[in-house]
Amino acid sequence: MRIIECPDYASMSRRAAAMIAAQVLLKPDCVLGLATGSTPVGAYRELVKWNREGLVSFKEARSVNLDEYLGLAPEHEQSYRRFMQENLFDHIDIVPENTHVLNGLAADPDAECAAYDAMTAALGGIDLQLLGMGHNGHIAFNEPGDDFGLGTHVVTLSERTIDANRRFFASRDEVPRRALSMGIRSIMLARRILIIVSGEDKAEALAKAVSGPVTNEVPASVLQLHPDVTLVADSAALSALKGGRAE
Ligand code: F6R
């Protein structure tokens, strides 16, 4: 794992955006695996800016997103489809049909998950997968204890994740309890992985993920087994790793 330490969130965002832009410049029709949440917002903002300035074009790029809440329509204010439209897709030259987000209203969620894996494989697989990480070490909606061998599947959110995501909803009761999510297997199939982490509140989980044992109790620890992972994090997020950092 390559670790890039940045002084703050803004520089972390620029570094991450630069890696994504470089991927698109090297292979214009690449498949980008994308994430939602607070962490990637700054990187998406940089990509929008560089796209407007003509530095990078997404005209040929394809995208697949990590996850979506089960039961939320694409237009719902808190759906991940809407998040992607508002934070990235509506502001860059990507072709709408080339952006893929799981359908939270699928009549048969298991069939939706299987079709999503088949679709991703048909695109040629993910060239670069962007990830954030939860306070409990989750990646996508793969919670502590989940099986590393799963492809895209239906998940039940942990109480901690419901609490963390509550800030986006009017009340805790409104946070969906289930989601559709790429599994660890789907993520590990990506050729390259870029994980971005910001803030001291994630330092402990990040230290466990990077230099603790590989265990499904810390889902992000599986990344130690992937041959091409770059962690871009701010100094606060890396603070618990100091001295004992495993490169
Ligand atoms: C988002 C996702 C989640 C987030 C994680 C961190 O698509 O899959 O795993 O990356 O919950 O969220 P933030 O960035 O809001 O702290």
Side-chain angles (χ1 to χ4, degrees), residues 35-40 66-67 80 132-134 138-141 167 202:
T36 61
S38 312
T39 316
L66 284 171
D67 41 19
Y80 286 174
M133 187 192 73
H138 75 226
I139 46 176
F141 273 123
R167 66 191 195 275
K202 292 196 179 158

Side-chain angles (χ1 to χ4, degrees), residues 107-246:
D108 182 342
D110 292 324
E112 169 73 8
C113 291
Y116 200 72
D117 283 339
M119 180 273 300
T120 304
L123 291 177
I126 297 167
D127 291 296
L128 178 65
Q129 176 66 58
L130 176 66
L131 295 176
M133 187 192 73
H135 294 95
N136 59 3
H138 75 226
I139 46 176
F141 273 123
N142 297 282
E143 300 283 10
D146 286 356
D147 189 339
F148 278 170
L150 293 174
T152 302
H153 62 293
V154 178
V155 296
T156 301
L157 272 56
S158 72
E159 293 302 314
R160 196 157 179 203
T161 299
I162 293 168
D163 286 338
N165 293 1
R166 187 240 170 281
R167 66 191 195 275
F168 300 113
F169 292 83
S171 74
R172 195 179 189 278
D173 286 347
E174 282 182 31
V175 184
R177 271 26 184 188
R178 294 199 301 159
L180 306 172
S181 176
M182 279 192 200
I184 296 292
R185 181 167 187 279
S186 333
I187 292 169
M188 291 293 277
L189 281 169
R191 289 178 196 92
R192 296 168 64 219
I193 293 176
L194 165 61
I195 177 164
I196 54 177
V197 187
S198 169
E200 203 179 345
D201 51 330
K202 292 196 179 158
E204 204 187 308
L206 187 59
K208 283 188 193 156
V210 172
S211 55
V214 175
T215 164
N216 60 5
E217 289 309 320
V218 183
S221 68
V222 76
L223 300 176
Q224 294 178 37
L225 306 180
H226 191 283
D228 194 341
V229 177
T230 303
L231 163 65
V232 180
D234 59 21
S235 303
L238 287 168
S239 56
L241 261 173
K242 292 277 153 59
R245 185 189 301 180

